[in-house]
Amino acid sequence: MAKLALINREEKREKLVAKFAAKREALIAIINNQSLSEEERFAARVKLQALPRNSSPVRLRNRCQLTGRARGVFRKFGLGRSKLRDAAFRGEVPGMTKASW
């Protein structure tokens, strides 16, 4: 089980990303607009850099829904590799069977 503080920090980041998503998208559109002047684009870049660091979606991390583990998480199932394996052995994942050859 991951530390509760790490899980809470990740939830806080998700809220910040959702809160600043529209503002960030608008600023990026201004930055990428070649028809605007350099001063306007530079001002938008400065505003983008002034946003909270954790509001960037790049800083989000996929975590296992059961344990909170950050590494070895399968996106399709939302589970870490060990918990996915346990679920597959119990037959809870449709179409997934134990490999044997």
Side-chain angles (χ1 to χ4, degrees):
M1 187 72 184
K3 289 185 179 178
L4 192 59
L6 297 177
I7 296 171
N8 290 338
R9 186 184 308 159
E10 193 67 33
E11 290 175 1
K12 181 181 175 184
R13 282 185 183 141
E14 289 174 3
K15 290 176 186 174
L16 273 175
V17 168
K19 180 179 178 182
F20 287 98
K23 190 172 193 176
R24 182 175 289 275
E25 187 177 323
L27 289 172
I28 291 174
I30 292 171
I31 292 169
N32 292 333
N33 189 353
Q34 297 292 327
S35 63
L36 296 176
S37 68
E38 286 294 322
E39 292 81 19
E40 291 172 328
R41 293 172 60 204
F42 182 75
R45 195 171 292 121
V46 169
K47 287 181 183 178
L48 182 66
Q49 290 174 352
L51 291 179
R53 182 175 285 182
N54 283 333
S55 68
S56 174
V58 173
R59 293 177 65 93
L60 292 177
R61 183 83 185 190
N62 290 334
R63 290 194 173 269
C64 176
Q65 296 293 320
L66 298 177
T67 62
R69 180 180 169 87
R71 295 175 180 252
V73 178
F74 286 78
R75 289 182 183 187
K76 186 174 182 178
F77 305 104
L79 297 174
R81 57 183 173 77
S82 58
K83 293 300 173 182
L84 178 62
R85 183 174 185 266
D86 294 340
F89 282 154
R90 289 193 303 266
E92 296 172 359
V93 182
M96 186 176 281
T97 57
K98 182 178 183 300
S100 59
W101 56 89

